[in-house]
Amino acid sequence: FLNSAAHREDFPMRYSTIFPTTVLSLLLAVGPQASAATYSGKDDKLEWTQQQTWATSGKPLHLVRSLDGKYTFILNDQQQIVVHDQSGAIQGRIPVAKGVTAIDISPQGEYLYLIDQDAAAFTAIAIDFVIAIDTAGSPVKGDDAAPVSIVLFTDFQCPYCIKLNPLLDQIYEKNKGKVKIIFKNMPLQFHQMAEPAALAALAAGEQGKFWEFHDKIFAAPQLNPAVMTKIAQDLGLDMTRFESDRTSPMLRQKLGKDMSDAQKAGVTGTPTIYINGRKLKQRSPEGFQAMIDEELAKAGK
């Protein structure tokens, strides 16, 4: 799933404009009036099978695609870059100058590059996708009516998540009443205690002590079953209920939903943070505050 360094910087995706030669993975129609051909066949050394066909907006001139196939950016003859998801559904349109004839994307996907032949210019455009994340039933810290939602995908055994926790507390205190923190579990497979810790925290949440349990786990010098049991006892939890809840199908289902939501959002490592659906790229006090201020300005706060 992830190698041991994957959580270092939420494992940035790499992007490429190179397509496999052994399989035709994407076929684009040349316009609404044209009928797309069908591609499959073989010769002595090669076989090819059509996977997808989309009708595009206007005539496609150039495209780039994420290596994971999540997004495709198509430059057309209508001075637009049309962004499609994996199914071909349009996610947005970016207007461009008439002279733009080629596009590319940065390694982490945060910039789109344009080549304008008429103006003899190169332009870099910062792009952000606003991701809808289902947070129903997730632990929330702060006022539910706060205009800014900070959704955190994390792992209780991840050293970078541990280091981030004091910064999150600082950001929350500075913006109290304006932000709420929403917790989503993403235990990484190579962290043996991450999943048991996630289930234990959710079990504490069933008794109204999720955030207290959360803080003590992150403050613990080591993580093992005895530590989690002691934290639960120190918090005065009903231990019979705690032990029952953390092995219950209901909480395993909650954990599974968090991991499914992470996959849908394109999360590949921890910690990963979204502020009102926009991925936080600079995990510094300044980076947090800049995005929070932008969202508050949008809300007129």
Side-chain angles (χ1 to χ4, degrees):
F1 174 61
L2 291 171
N3 64 35
S4 60
H7 55 292
R8 184 173 304 151
E9 287 282 343
D10 57 55
F11 199 56
M13 297 300 298
R14 299 189 179 204
Y15 289 72
S16 172
T17 59
I18 300 173
F19 291 84
T21 58
T22 55
V23 177
L24 181 63
S25 62
L26 179 66
L27 171 67
L28 299 175
V30 296
Q33 76 284 358
S35 296
T38 300
Y39 293 87
S40 70
K42 63 180 179 178
D43 60 20
D44 291 342
K45 297 183 179 180
L46 179 68
E47 293 185 6
W48 55 97
T49 304
Q50 181 173 313
Q51 301 295 301
Q52 290 178 286
T53 302
W54 301 342
T56 64
S57 301
K59 293 182 179 180
L61 304 177
H62 196 215
L63 68 82
V64 291
R65 198 181 196 195
S66 62
L67 187 61
D68 65 348
K70 189 172 183 181
Y71 295 109
T72 302
F73 300 77
I74 302 175
L75 172 66
N76 66 22
D77 65 342
Q78 299 175 0
Q79 297 175 241
Q80 296 175 329
I81 297 171
V82 184
V83 186
H84 297 258
D85 67 11
Q86 291 170 303
S87 68
I90 294 174
Q91 301 300 300
R93 302 172 191 265
I94 303 170
V96 297
K98 186 176 181 181
V100 174
T101 56
I103 59 176
D104 204 348
I105 196 166
S106 64
Q108 295 186 31
E110 75 273 38
Y111 294 106
L112 194 62
Y113 302 125
L114 315 179
I115 298 297
D116 189 328
Q117 287 191 344
D118 291 351
F122 164 88
T123 304
I125 299 174
I127 55 175
D128 259 326
F129 289 96
V130 180
I131 306 297
I133 301 170
D134 184 2
T135 58
S138 297
V140 178
K141 182 178 182 179
D143 187 346
D144 279 338
V148 178
S149 297
I150 300 175
V151 178
L152 169 67
F153 288 91
T154 195
D155 171 315
F156 281 113
Q157 205 175 351
C158 164
Y160 303 95
C161 301
I162 295 169
K163 290 179 182 178
L164 181 67
N165 196 51
L167 176 56
L168 278 169
D169 288 341
Q170 175 187 333
I171 293 299
Y172 175 78
E173 290 299 326
K174 183 177 180 180
N175 297 276
K176 190 171 280 188
K178 299 177 182 178
V179 304
K180 57 179 177 281
I181 297 175
I182 303 171
F183 188 95
K184 302 286 279 185
N185 282 293
M186 188 180 168
L188 303 180
Q189 291 181 356
F190 51 84
H191 287 155
Q192 294 184 352
M193 294 307 302
E195 182 174 310
L199 291 168
L202 290 174
E206 292 297 297
Q207 298 187 48
K209 294 290 182 74
F210 174 85
W211 290 104
E212 293 89 340
F213 198 94
H214 162 282
D215 290 345
K216 286 184 177 294
I217 283 185
F218 274 137
Q222 60 180 333
L223 193 55
N224 56 49
V227 167
M228 288 186 281
T229 298
K230 187 173 188 311
I231 290 172
Q233 291 171 338
D234 289 346
L235 291 174
L237 299 183
D238 178 330
M239 294 304 295
T240 301
R241 181 181 174 188
F242 174 75
E243 295 296 342
S244 175
D245 282 344
R246 68 173 172 170
T247 58
S248 71
M250 178 188 70
L251 291 193
R252 286 202 167 271
Q253 186 176 3
K254 275 191 174 184
L255 178 58
K257 180 181 179 300
D258 278 356
M259 297 177 72
S260 175
D261 290 339
Q263 185 177 24
K264 289 175 184 176
V267 177
T268 55
T270 58
T272 297
I273 298 161
Y274 290 89
I275 297 180
N276 280 5
R278 296 166 58 207
K279 188 175 181 179
L280 177 70
K281 295 165 185 167
Q282 297 182 16
R283 293 199 300 263
S284 64
E286 296 77 17
F288 264 104
Q289 198 60 51
M291 284 194 70
I292 290 169
D293 290 344
E294 287 173 13
E295 294 303 317
L296 289 173
K298 290 178 188 176
K301 301 294 184 179

